[in-house]
Amino acid sequence: MEFQDLLNTTHSMHRKLAMRMITDTGLTPGQPKILNYLYTHDGSSQTEIATACYIETASLTSVLNGMEAKGLVERRRQNGNRRTYYIYLTGKGKDMCRIIDNAFQEINEKLFSDIPSGDVAVFMDVFEKIYGLLAMMLREG
């Protein structure tokens, strides 16, 4: 299997498994990534979120609308800036982050349980380098 096929297929399977594990939360596929980002970057602007999550700003707006309707996030303006909204997790949103984190931890434990820790460390090192190279290539245009 070619790298791009393996990466795309693995991503799809991981996403389906994760969504199956959190199906009772009512989250849609794009929402866990945004919640996860906000958990460590609460109060980010929509532009910051879109950039960090590699999502088009227009797509992010509709995802955030759904999240706001579910009571997971709230938009606020800061320092008199009337043009930019900053996104904050609500208490419900923080609770949802913990549910998502638990699901991902369970997936990771199962994925790596039969792989020697040294192999996992090497894999993660190489995968982080691939991530860094892809991010650099995107920034360069």
Side-chain angles (χ1 to χ4, degrees):
M1 193 179 272
E2 295 289 325
F3 174 74
Q4 68 273 5
D5 297 329
L6 188 59
L7 184 64
N8 289 334
T9 305
T10 302
H11 174 260
S12 294
M13 291 187 300
H14 186 272
R15 186 179 209 180
K16 283 182 182 183
L17 179 60
M19 291 309 295
R20 184 185 309 155
M21 292 178 73
I22 61 171
T23 191
D24 59 337
T25 64
L27 293 175
T28 60
Q31 294 174 343
K33 178 183 0 182
I34 295 166
L35 285 170
N36 187 50
Y37 179 77
L38 286 172
Y39 195 71
T40 55
H41 300 88
D42 206 20
S44 294
S45 70
Q46 290 185 211
T47 302
E48 291 167 336
I49 298 167
T51 300
C53 294
Y54 297 95
I55 301 171
E56 295 299 321
T57 306
S59 299
L60 176 62
T61 299
S62 65
V63 174
L64 288 174
N65 287 342
M67 293 171 72
E68 192 171 32
K70 292 176 184 174
L72 301 172
V73 298
E74 61 184 13
R75 291 177 168 108
R76 297 185 210 156
R77 292 196 167 108
Q78 291 180 337
N79 305 325
N81 183 342
R82 299 182 67 196
R83 298 186 66 166
T84 303
Y85 281 104
Y86 295 86
I87 312 304
Y88 290 86
L89 289 171
T90 62
K92 184 178 178 181
K94 290 175 185 175
D95 290 342
M96 195 65 68
C97 287
R98 286 186 275 283
I99 292 168
I100 293 165
D101 189 53
N102 289 338
F104 283 123
Q105 283 182 14
E106 185 178 334
I107 291 170
N108 289 347
E109 287 170 11
K110 289 179 181 178
L111 282 175
F112 297 118
S113 66
D114 292 332
I115 301 173
S117 61
D119 290 351
V120 172
V122 169
F123 168 77
M124 291 302 293
D125 184 52
V126 171
F127 207 74
E128 286 176 12
K129 287 177 183 172
I130 291 169
Y131 171 85
L133 289 168
L134 287 170
M136 182 181 66
M137 291 165 71
L138 281 171
R139 283 191 303 270
E140 290 174 353

